[in-house]
Amino acid sequence: MMYQAGLVLEGGGMKGMYTAGVLEFLLEQNVEFANCYAVSAGACHLCSFLSKQRGRMYRISVDYLDDKRYCSVQSLLKTGDLFGADMCYHEIPDKLNPFDYDTFAKYQGNAYAVVTNIRTGQPEYLPMKDLRTDIVAVRASASLPLVSRNVKIGGEYYLDGGISDAIPIRKAVADGNRKNLVVMTKEVGYRRKPVGHPEIFKLSYRKYPAVYEDMKNRHIMYNGTLDYLEQAKITGEAFVIRPKKASKIGRIEKDREKLTALYHEGYEDARRAYPELLEYFQK
């Protein structure tokens, strides 16, 4: 069933395994959303959700942990990307774990990958229609600052959408979605702290001072969105599924058992919330 509602997915690196678990449960229930907004790891998992490939979100996250082409210092030194772009966006979807491009293209709603324009520092919401070409938007959304190359799309350069709009609930509401499911990777009670040593970003992105400004103010923007989200829950504009406690998963995590546990946590949280979620959408 497709709900005329928004799906908002936070990023979070390998913490996105929680999101993968939530989406896996929803995929089993044949739940769809008319409009989807996803950041970084959330954008990666959204692709498999919309292509309706059960189990793929989990497999692509754990099957290549020991492959240096997937995520390694060697990849960073060799290519400029900690997460190897060729491996993640070509080798895996085209050969190792084939992506169902045709099913994705049949999705009747709107899907957006949230990216940060590093010239302006502003978020942009790039549509995903045909992943054969639009996969570059997913790559840009998931390109972490300092450990990824800038991604060129058209005449602009982009990085991780989480820099400028980590939880795009405002965009979802502005687009007319009166109800939204928001899946977060940060636990209940989390508040973002100021980034340590922001001068690193000033040095690394000398040509793009907006990146430094975004990173310096990131905690203010993020915590402001948390406050907005609490109000949206009261007004009925948002239903939130998020971890109840902090995980010990790093943004770059190689422990398969920890990742699997977080995946199951997301799945079980979605299963428990499902009756209430259905009631929310049917009101």
Side-chain angles (χ1 to χ4, degrees), residues 15-29:
K15 292 180 185 291
M17 282 297 280
Y18 180 86
T19 301
V22 172
L23 293 181
E24 190 68 34
F25 177 82
L26 295 177
L27 186 58
E28 291 176 3
Q29 311 311 311

Side-chain angles (χ1 to χ4, degrees), residues 89 91 98 144 148 153 171 199 225-226 259 268 271 283:
Y89 304 108
E91 190 73 13
L144 304 173
S148 304
I153 303 176
K171 171 61 174 174
E199 62 275 8
T225 300
L226 292 180
L259 293 170
E268 287 302 313
R271 183 183 63 81
K283 283 182 180 178

Side-chain angles (χ1 to χ4, degrees), residues 127-141:
M128 298 187 292
K129 295 293 186 182
D130 182 349
L131 256 289
R132 291 181 178 89
T133 53
D134 295 341
I135 192 77
V136 67
V138 180
R139 177 188 166 193
S141 184

Side-chain angles (χ1 to χ4, degrees), residues 20-89:
V22 172
L23 293 181
E24 190 68 34
F25 177 82
L26 295 177
L27 186 58
E28 291 176 3
Q29 311 311 311
N30 296 312
V31 173
E32 293 184 286
F33 302 85
N35 299 291
C36 302
Y37 309 82
V39 180
S40 195
C44 296
H45 293 311
L46 177 63
C47 295
S48 295
F49 177 68
L50 295 181
S51 68
K52 302 182 179 181
Q53 291 175 267
R54 293 187 182 181
R56 188 175 188 275
M57 288 175 277
Y58 175 78
R59 293 193 303 272
I60 63 173
S61 298
V62 301
D63 284 358
Y64 312 105
L65 292 172
D66 297 325
D67 192 321
K68 290 181 174 57
R69 296 174 300 166
Y70 177 66
C71 176
S72 67
V73 174
Q74 289 92 327
S75 174
L76 178 62
L77 295 175
K78 184 178 180 180
T79 70
D81 293 306
L82 183 65
F83 284 90
D86 185 67
M87 178 69 170
C88 292
Y89 304 108

Side-chain angles (χ1 to χ4, degrees), residues 224-244:
T225 300
L226 292 180
D227 295 337
Y228 177 92
L229 193 55
E230 287 302 310
Q231 187 61 34
K233 287 164 60 178
I234 294 172
T235 61
E237 292 171 308
F239 184 102
V240 177
I241 298 178
R242 66 189 299 190
K244 296 177 179 60

